[in-house]
Amino acid sequence: MSGAILYTEGLVKRFAGLTATDGVSLELRHGEIHALIGPNGAGKSTLINQLCGELMPDAGQVHLDGREITRMPPAERVRQGLCRTFQITSILGDFSVRQNMGLAVQARLGGNMRIMDSLRRRRDLWAEVDGMLAESALAARAGVLADDLSAGERKQLELLMALALRPKVLLLDEPMAGLGHAESQDMVRRLQTLRGQVSILLVEHDMEAVFALADRISVLVYGRLLMTGTAAEVMASAEVREAYLGGEDELC
Ligand code: ADP
Ligand code: MG
């Protein structure tokens, strides 16, 4: 497992009579973009929730960067570099883009500082915010209230706020949801720029985006990991086609 920044072993989560994740062993390699796909109800969100600590598994383990974190609280996971969009700070609609970014950076830096440190940190904080915004799709939108952003801009802000936490691993649950085609393409381009810098586990229904982005794809069906492979391997799998579409050729 030396190539893995994050991996699970035999992760099980049951809800009443239903096994939502059924012994999932998944490996996210350093720097890869790894897509997790599967039909509705397959257990994708349940898996992500166990990775970020919002749900405790009934069995199995989660390891991050050489450390077992199965029972670690969510906020501590964020400090260890495992971040999910919206986990720590959510967008405040009546705050500007820049102010929202300020909150995200502050969430990473934490509080409890002496006054001179505090002033210096405040200056550093806004310099960092402005630096991140300048390189982003929101460069010209820093003063705009979050409520006035388009759906695509809001997703870009959400991503930027997660990046402000300086994650090693980013968990993205449907970042293209609700976006038009052009906005989805903008998001794909933005995520492309992160390849190699941060390891990404991406849950996404938009197969065009998945095929454009994913170094590897894992397929989850009824809580079980059917296979992990390249896009070509997944598309060639009769089992995957069967699970998705009852045998129809419609994966892409
Ligand atoms: P996906 O994200 O792949 O669509 P989910 O992880 O949301 O799937 O759900 C997997 C299964 O677990 C579904 O059958 C869903 O109804 C069930 N489920 C998810 N969360 C809960 C919960 N909190 N309580 C009971 N059942 C749940
Ligand atoms: Mg889901």
Side-chain angles (χ1 to χ4, degrees):
M1 289 288 180
S2 62
I5 178 85
L6 177 75
Y7 69 92
T8 69
E9 276 180 338
L11 217 54
V12 174
K13 183 68 195 177
R14 296 187 197 91
F15 296 117
L18 177 94
T19 307
T21 48
D22 193 0
V24 173
S25 298
L26 179 88
E27 179 207 65
L28 178 67
R29 292 180 185 155
H30 277 276
E32 80 171 333
I33 301 181
H34 191 131
L36 179 63
I37 65 170
N40 275 332
K44 303 181 296 295
S45 294
T46 303
L47 179 57
I48 296 281
N49 285 335
Q50 291 171 89
L51 296 177
C52 67
E54 276 163 37
L55 276 178
M56 285 297 139
D58 295 309
Q61 295 188 335
V62 182
H63 296 256
L64 174 71
D65 208 8
R67 216 174 144 184
E68 207 226 296
I69 60 159
T70 315
R71 306 268 148 205
M72 187 182 278
E76 179 59 21
R77 292 180 202 221
V78 172
R79 278 192 289 276
Q80 300 297 323
L82 178 57
C83 296
R84 172 191 194 163
T85 45
F86 268 135
Q87 194 176 357
I88 289 296
T89 45
S90 47
I91 293 174
L92 298 177
D94 55 351
F95 276 42
S96 72
V97 165
R98 186 170 184 266
Q99 286 169 326
N100 272 288
M101 283 298 294
L103 291 172
V105 172
Q106 197 162 42
R108 188 191 78 233
L109 297 176
N112 231 353
M113 302 166 275
R114 284 174 306 160
I115 187 137
M116 279 314 290
D117 284 348
S118 166
L119 289 171
R120 195 173 304 120
R121 300 255 306 245
R122 188 172 296 264
R123 193 187 57 204
D124 292 349
L125 179 151
W126 290 115
E128 181 178 336
V129 165
D130 292 335
M132 286 189 76
L133 281 173
E135 288 175 14
S136 80
L138 298 172
R141 306 286 278 162
V144 173
L145 294 186
D147 271 346
D148 295 332
L149 296 176
S150 70
E153 288 172 334
R154 202 180 160 83
K155 291 279 185 185
Q156 294 281 352
L157 176 57
E158 192 181 321
L159 176 64
L160 218 51
M161 286 170 72
L163 290 172
L165 301 172
R166 297 203 183 147
K168 295 177 192 160
V169 173
L170 199 54
L171 307 172
L172 300 174
D173 200 351
E174 304 195 21
M176 323 290 171
L179 301 190
H181 192 247
E183 289 182 324
S184 288
Q185 286 182 320
D186 286 344
M187 181 57 79
V188 166
R189 271 193 291 274
R190 178 68 176 115
L191 293 175
Q192 293 276 25
T193 68
L194 300 177
R195 188 191 310 279
Q197 293 173 35
V198 51
S199 311
I200 296 177
L201 184 63
L202 167 75
V203 173
E204 186 49 59
H205 285 293
D206 178 342
M207 292 308 290
E208 190 183 328
V210 166
F211 287 136
L213 284 168
D215 297 302
R216 295 191 303 155
I217 299 173
S218 285
V219 185
L220 200 65
V221 178
Y222 294 126
R224 286 177 180 273
L225 199 61
L226 211 58
M227 72 172 295
T228 295
T230 62
E233 287 164 348
V234 166
M235 277 195 287
S237 162
E239 216 184 351
V240 170
R241 286 177 191 281
E242 184 69 31
Y244 255 91
L245 309 146
E248 302 285 315
D249 270 7
E250 224 185 84
L251 193 56
C252 52

